[in-house]
Amino acid sequence: MRARKTGIGLHSQCRVQRLQKASGLPGSSLHAKKAVLQTGLAAKIRLRLRPLRDSPEPAFFVTDDGYLLTCYHVVQDAGRIAVRTKAGTFSAKIVKSDKANDIALLKVAGKFPTLPVGLSRGMKLGESVFTIGFPNIELQGFAPKLTKGEISSLTGVQDDPREFQISVAVQPGNSGGPLVNLYGNVVGIVAARLADMATLETTGSLPQNVNYAVKSSVLNVLLESMPEISAKLIEPHPAKDRPFEDVEAEAEGAVAVVLVY
């Protein structure tokens, strides 16, 4: 009965107590209990699209001399990294990473098509976006796959301002792919989705296409911290209608495959 009065079930209370013990928070405050529970849930239900070793994941070029962005979890703990493009396969190295925001900047030698990194702050709820990736190559093949959707929310899990919630269908093989608007500007990087089983356990229902992308404002912070690289970035496209086939072709040309070993 006491558990019902607080609004936290017996199972949840046990989880709260475990989290409190690990965090050192006091046990007497109901607000503290709820805060700890929410913190634990955010980590549990936000599932990164973790790749299998030797499976392809996307990245995209932001400068024509070989700098490209992907998710940090794609290259985390990699012994060796290779990037495959239409021009061939190239050895890559990590130039800079931001583990907290799940982004990494790679470098390969050569000349490549690029995508402009735009401003995420101008995005609106319901605005159309798409990504290109390489999901489930064993079943779907190695050709790039495009999926389209909308901005479902201007914030991520528990209103995280660093992320968009998107209805673009994603799965392993989409981590690190660009989230592109209809003008052809990168407004985010595909990073995560709600975990099915953890969400079912927590809420009693399965999530329906609830996915997340790190905003381009976060990407720009990383890029602009290196003036020698930010000076090479191309200007975003103006907010003018373009034929979608042109926007898609430009994005496809700038997307590469990351292989980690």
Side-chain angles (χ1 to χ4, degrees), residues 47 49 130-132 135-136 147 166-175 177 179 190-194 209-213:
L47 178 67
L49 303 172
F130 70 93
T131 193
I132 295 175
N136 298 327
T147 50
I166 56 175
S167 65
V168 178
V170 299
Q171 53 200 306
N174 285 113
S175 288
L179 187 71
V190 174
R193 64 179 177 85
L194 280 192
N209 199 25
V210 182
N211 309 310
Y212 300 98

Side-chain angles (χ1 to χ4, degrees), residues 79-200:
R80 182 165 65 89
I81 305 171
V83 170
R84 178 174 172 178
T85 73
K86 293 180 179 179
T89 301
F90 305 86
S91 177
K93 64 179 181 180
I94 300 174
V95 175
K96 192 167 186 177
S97 62
D98 180 351
K99 182 178 180 180
N101 291 308
D102 197 19
I103 51 179
L105 182 70
L106 310 181
K107 178 68 169 70
V108 300
K111 292 290 184 180
F112 306 94
T114 63
L115 278 173
V117 180
L119 300 176
S120 53
R121 66 172 179 265
M123 295 297 290
K124 296 179 174 60
L125 202 65
E127 193 162 342
S128 296
V129 285
F130 70 93
T131 193
I132 295 175
F134 305 91
N136 298 327
I137 61 165
E138 295 84 359
L139 295 176
Q140 299 184 45
F142 207 90
K145 306 298 189 294
L146 181 147
T147 50
K148 299 171 71 175
E150 292 80 34
I151 300 293
S152 302
S153 175
L154 298 177
T155 57
V157 173
Q158 295 186 337
D159 295 324
D160 188 337
R162 299 170 298 175
E163 296 180 331
F164 291 124
Q165 181 182 321
I166 56 175
S167 65
V168 178
V170 299
Q171 53 200 306
N174 285 113
S175 288
L179 187 71
V180 186
N181 67 13
L182 297 187
Y183 305 128
N185 298 319
V186 174
V187 295
I189 185 169
V190 174
R193 64 179 177 85
L194 280 192
D196 292 342
M197 296 311 297
T199 305
L200 178 62

Side-chain angles (χ1 to χ4, degrees), residues 6 8 13 16-17 19-20 25-38:
T6 64
I8 300 176
Q13 274 194 324
V16 168
Q17 290 166 359
L19 287 165
Q20 282 175 328
L25 288 177
S28 60
S29 167
L30 174 60
H31 293 295
K33 290 180 180 180
K34 288 184 176 180
V36 174
L37 179 58
Q38 288 171 351

Side-chain angles (χ1 to χ4, degrees), residues 205-247:
S205 62
L206 287 169
Q208 301 296 317
N209 199 25
V210 182
N211 309 310
Y212 300 98
V214 178
K215 293 179 178 179
S216 59
S217 58
V218 179
L219 307 182
N220 277 320
V221 169
L222 181 82
L223 294 170
E224 291 173 7
S225 70
M226 297 171 287
E228 70 280 8
I229 296 172
S230 62
K232 303 174 185 177
L233 300 175
I234 61 175
E235 288 295 318
H237 295 293
K240 295 181 180 179
D241 290 340
R242 299 175 62 197
F244 183 73
E245 56 267 28
D246 293 348
V247 175

